[in-house]
Amino acid sequence: MAKTLISYYSKSGNTKKMAECIAEGIKPTEGMEVILKKVEDTVIEDMLNSDVIIFGCPTYFGVMTAEVKELMDKSVKYFGKLNGKIGGAFTSSGAIGGGNETTILSIIQGFLIHGMIIQGVQKGNHYGPVSIGAPNEAVKEECVRYGKMLGDLCVKILK
Ligand SMILES: Cc1cc2nc3c(=O)[nH]c(=O)nc-3n(C[C@H](O)[C@H](O)[C@H](O)COP(=O)(O)O)c2cc1C
C-alpha cells in the first residue's frame, strides 16, 4: 500500500478546501492511502512513512508560512531518507502576482534538497495549484487533477 501525506496550514479555510480536493483526486488511485493533516498535527515521521508528500499553505510574504517551514526544518532529521519520494505543493494567495508561485517554489526547493521527485503541470498552474482567495470550481477541479497526477506518478514509479 502506497501512502500520500497532504499536510496543510490554513488560517481562514481557503488552503484547506484545496487540500481536500487534492485528497479527493488521489483517493481513487488503486492501492493508495491518503492522510490529510493540518501541519500542526503533522510529525516528521509522517513524511518518512509516505511515498508522496504534498504541502500546502497560504502565501505569506511570497513564501511558505512559518508553520510549514518549521516542519520542513524539522525534517532535516531524516535528511537522506526522503530521497526519491514524490513531492508537490499548492497555495492560496490574496492577489494574482502576490507571490503564489514563489510560495510553491519555496516548498519545492526544500523537497528538491531532500532529493525528492517533482512533476510540473503541463496544462494549468505549472508549479502546482494556486487559488486567489477561496478556490472556485475551476481551481477545485485543478486540485483534483493534481492529486490524480501525483497518484498516477507514484503508481508508475513503484511498479
Ligand atoms: C501574514 C500574512 C501575509 C500574507 N502575505 C500575502 C502575500 O504576500 N501575497 C498575497 O497575495 N497574499 C498574502 N496574504 C493573504 C493570504 O495568502 C490569503 O488570504 C489566503 O487566501 C489565506 O489562505 P487561508 O484561508 O488558507 O488561510 C497574507 C496574509 C497574511 C495573514
Side-chain angles (χ1 to χ4, degrees):
M1 187 74 137
K3 272 191 193 165
T4 293
L5 169 70
I6 304 171
S7 180
Y8 67 91
Y9 177 77
S10 185
K11 200 170 181 203
S12 51
N14 298 336
T15 316
K16 180 175 191 262
K17 286 183 193 132
M18 297 176 78
E20 288 166 350
C21 292
I22 292 171
E24 199 187 305
I26 207 162
K27 265 181 197 155
T29 311
E30 219 183 301
M32 179 68 76
E33 185 189 339
V34 181
I35 298 153
L36 182 63
K37 275 192 172 182
K38 288 181 183 170
V39 77
E40 304 93 305
D41 300 331
T42 308
V43 292
I44 46 173
E45 285 69 30
D46 292 323
M47 296 174 75
L48 185 68
N49 297 330
S50 300
D51 303 284
V52 183
I53 303 168
I54 306 171
F55 280 1
C57 63
T59 293
Y60 278 9
F61 293 95
V63 290
M64 71 180 106
T65 63
E67 293 79 2
V68 173
K69 182 64 164 60
E70 190 184 352
L71 181 68
M72 189 72 86
D73 287 354
K74 283 183 184 162
S75 72
V76 75
K77 183 176 174 192
Y78 294 125
F79 194 64
K81 297 211 162 122
L82 307 185
N83 191 45
K85 292 183 186 289
I86 295 164
F90 59 100
T91 190
S92 167
S93 65
I96 298 174
N100 41 46
E101 288 190 334
T102 50
T103 297
I104 288 183
L105 288 173
S106 71
I107 295 169
I108 285 177
Q109 208 170 7
F111 287 164
L112 287 172
I113 290 168
H114 270 302
M116 290 169 60
I117 299 163
I118 307 296
Q119 181 172 5
V121 182
Q122 187 219 340
K123 286 181 187 162
N125 294 307
H126 300 307
Y127 304 120
V130 165
S131 181
I132 312 305
N136 59 22
E137 281 314 304
V139 172
K140 284 183 184 170
E141 280 166 27
E142 170 132 26
C143 289
V144 171
R145 278 198 303 275
Y146 190 66
K148 184 181 178 332
M149 181 189 83
L150 294 184
D152 289 348
L153 177 66
C154 185
V155 169
K156 233 189 265 178
I157 284 176
L158 292 182
K159 239 186 217 170

